[in-house]
Amino acid sequence: MRLPGRIAAAIDVLADVENRKRPVSEALKAWGLNNRFAGAGDRAAIGNLVYDALRRRASTAFIMGSHSPRALVLGAVLRAWGETPETLNAAFAGDTHVPEALTPEEISAAGAEIEAAPKIVQADMPEWLAPSLERAFGADLVAEGEAMAARPSLDLRVNALKSTPERVQKSLARFSPEPTAYALLGLTMPAGPRDARTPNVTTDEGYQKGWFEVQDQGSQIVAALAGAQPGEQVLDLCAGAGGKTLALASAMGNKGQIFAYDSDRNRLAPIYERLKRNGVRNAQVRAPEPGALDDLAGKMDRVVVDAPCTGTGTWRRRPDTKWKLTPELLEQRQADQAAILEEAVRYLRPGGTLVYITCSILPEENDDRVQALLAAHPELSSLDIASAWRKALVTDMPTSLATPAGGVLLTPHRTGTDGFYCHLMRKS
């Protein structure tokens, strides 16, 4: 397929997303099944167009004067893919089954200045979240939003139980991975432009042997900040598919014990195969049964809470969720976080450490939750996050990452990672 056909397909996919109210991934899969003539390169390019359009939906709609799928996709091609109205119209004129030529109004809109838009629109973030995001980022709101609207890198965490960064780099040399800026066992491959495809590293021999896992550098950083040590008793209370459980096991050198638990069996299901492939021997999976963790009460050296959240930190990867978030969902997530933090305290031994993590950039889910917990539990106190950073990552923590309540906030603009929050608390 040539670019005009890919543009037409992207418009169709976006229209399907809007009309059926379904995730972009499902709409793209459906399009591929109904158009089997399209090759892998075509499908990747169409996916890039759709995601690029959604990442900058607010600013593109402002410039183009419309939220229609056509306006969003044309805006993405003009703003992110380097095309011009002239090159597009020339391409459209020489092809069939393609969008109509740009109208004079669309050509004029393509040159509009985004600086005339409100800051929250320039940042490509939901307008109703403006007070929260301004509280989080202040004068950096637009810069933070622009970074969040860029394509994410593909990051890997080397599994120290089985391999080394040098060995994995050699295995994946065809993709040119480079060391990450902060994570000691991280490798990264920057996103390419236009129709560039993401490297399929999971077919590599090293992945099959458990040498590495796909994991954003931000996730690696907060897992390292958890500070799990060999020989400790650690509870991963929201283990999910086990990404951080694997990182904790690697840090502990398979010594001590990790109890991996999640309240959702479906989320927990992939963990068993992943533990086996990674060579993890010190993790015990606890299924969500009544009283499944009762024997751990008051005994844990470390309780890691990777809390359910709005996922605002992952908007680069899932831009459709940016525009689906509602005040009601945010309120529900805050209630979930308060409940699970209250439960986590029960498992800490005296002197134990509570590690609170979210993939959110919103203060309501981060500092606010920690301050509420500390107010309710005087036996808890915050630990110095800068000292934890220095110990875990062998470098000084940039002061810009510190939050008012004593946590750390990673973002695409600040650290080149997804958005992650981490706060450490000690039980007296």
Side-chain angles (χ1 to χ4, degrees):
M1 297 174 66
R2 296 172 63 244
L3 180 59
R6 291 172 170 178
I7 291 174
I11 292 172
D12 288 343
V13 171
L14 265 186
D16 185 35
V17 169
E18 290 191 3
N19 294 335
R20 300 197 184 189
K21 308 298 182 186
R22 61 175 173 177
V24 172
S25 57
E26 289 185 14
L28 286 168
K29 182 179 180 180
W31 187 92
L33 292 173
N34 292 330
N35 297 272
R36 294 183 182 276
F37 64 85
D42 293 322
R43 295 193 298 273
I46 293 163
N48 284 350
L49 273 173
V50 171
Y51 281 111
D52 284 345
L54 288 171
R55 288 187 181 103
R56 304 177 76 178
R57 174 181 166 182
S59 61
T60 296
F62 179 87
I63 286 175
M64 301 296 290
S66 170
H67 282 89
S68 71
R70 172 185 167 90
L72 296 180
V73 174
L74 289 179
V77 176
L78 292 167
R79 302 180 68 202
W81 286 50
E83 297 292 336
T84 66
E86 293 74 24
T87 59
L88 284 183
N89 277 344
F92 292 167
D95 210 331
T96 57
H97 306 293
V98 298
E100 295 180 359
L102 274 68
T103 65
E105 292 77 16
E106 288 172 331
I107 294 174
S108 176
E113 296 293 335
I114 189 60
E115 287 74 14
K119 296 295 184 184
I120 194 69
V121 173
Q122 293 183 47
D124 274 297
M125 293 181 174
E127 291 188 43
W128 71 270
L129 277 174
S132 176
L133 293 166
E134 288 169 354
R135 178 181 162 203
F137 302 128
D140 290 334
L141 173 61
V142 174
E144 292 282 356
E146 288 175 344
M148 187 66 81
R151 293 184 186 179
S153 59
L154 176 66
D155 297 346
L156 313 176
R157 180 188 57 78
V158 176
N159 176 17
L161 298 176
K162 285 193 169 186
S163 193
T164 64
E166 294 75 19
R167 190 178 189 183
V168 173
Q169 276 186 293
K170 183 177 180 179
S171 178
L172 297 175
R174 62 195 182 279
F175 299 131
S176 303
E178 295 293 334
T180 49
Y182 300 103
L184 301 181
L185 293 173
L187 297 173
T188 186
M189 287 153 277
R194 293 176 62 100
D195 57 358
R197 297 169 63 179
T198 302
N200 185 8
V201 297
T202 58
T203 60
D204 186 78
E205 177 187 23
Y207 179 82
Q208 302 299 327
K209 291 182 176 180
W211 292 357
F212 64 88
E213 286 288 322
V214 176
Q215 186 177 21
D216 180 76
Q217 185 191 185
S219 180
Q220 297 178 50
I221 291 172
V222 295
L225 290 176
Q229 301 296 311
E232 287 187 338
Q233 300 291 301
V234 178
L235 171 59
D236 188 354
L237 192 53
C238 307
K244 292 185 179 64
T245 303
L246 299 174
L248 294 171
S250 178
M252 295 169 69
N254 261 337
K255 299 176 182 178
Q257 187 74 50
I258 303 172
F259 299 93
Y261 174 86
D262 198 280
S263 61
D264 187 322
R265 290 180 184 274
N266 293 328
R267 285 198 300 264
L268 197 60
I271 197 173
Y272 300 96
E273 188 277 331
R274 296 181 77 186
L275 291 172
K276 181 178 179 181
R277 180 165 49 79
N278 277 258
V280 173
R281 299 189 303 273
N282 69 328
Q284 180 183 134
V285 182
R286 293 284 181 97
E289 304 285 355
L293 302 176
D294 285 354
D295 61 314
L296 306 183
K299 298 179 181 179
M300 295 295 100
D301 297 301
R302 215 166 292 267
V303 177
V304 179
V305 176
D306 186 5
C309 67
T310 55
T312 51
T314 64
W315 278 345
R316 297 189 303 172
R317 302 180 191 279
R318 301 181 61 199
D320 51 329
T321 63
K322 186 192 314 191
W323 311 111
K324 293 178 181 178
L325 182 60
T326 64
E328 292 75 21
L329 180 57
L330 174 57
E331 185 176 350
Q332 178 59 54
R333 286 294 173 262
Q334 291 176 76
D336 295 339
Q337 292 149 9
I340 201 163
L341 280 171
E342 191 67 35
E343 180 184 0
V345 174
R346 185 167 77 93
Y347 302 111
L348 280 177
R349 68 165 177 80
T353 301
L354 174 57
V355 183
Y356 179 56
I357 297 169
T358 74
C359 54
S360 174
I361 57 176
L362 304 179
E364 292 88 342
E365 299 184 274
N366 297 335
D367 273 1
D368 289 359
R369 298 280 60 76
V370 168
Q371 290 176 319
L373 183 71
L374 293 175
H377 289 273
E379 75 275 20
L380 295 177
S381 58
S382 294
L383 293 177
D384 182 11
I385 197 71
S387 296
W389 181 288
R390 194 176 304 111
K391 181 178 180 180
L393 302 171
V394 199
T395 186
D396 288 335
M397 185 184 89
T399 56
S400 61
L401 307 185
T403 67
V408 62
L409 181 63
L410 315 176
T411 69
H413 177 60
R414 298 175 178 186
T415 50
T417 68
D418 284 348
F420 278 95
Y421 174 84
C422 183
H423 197 112
L424 308 177
M425 290 162 274
R426 174 71 49 81
K427 183 178 181 180
S428 62

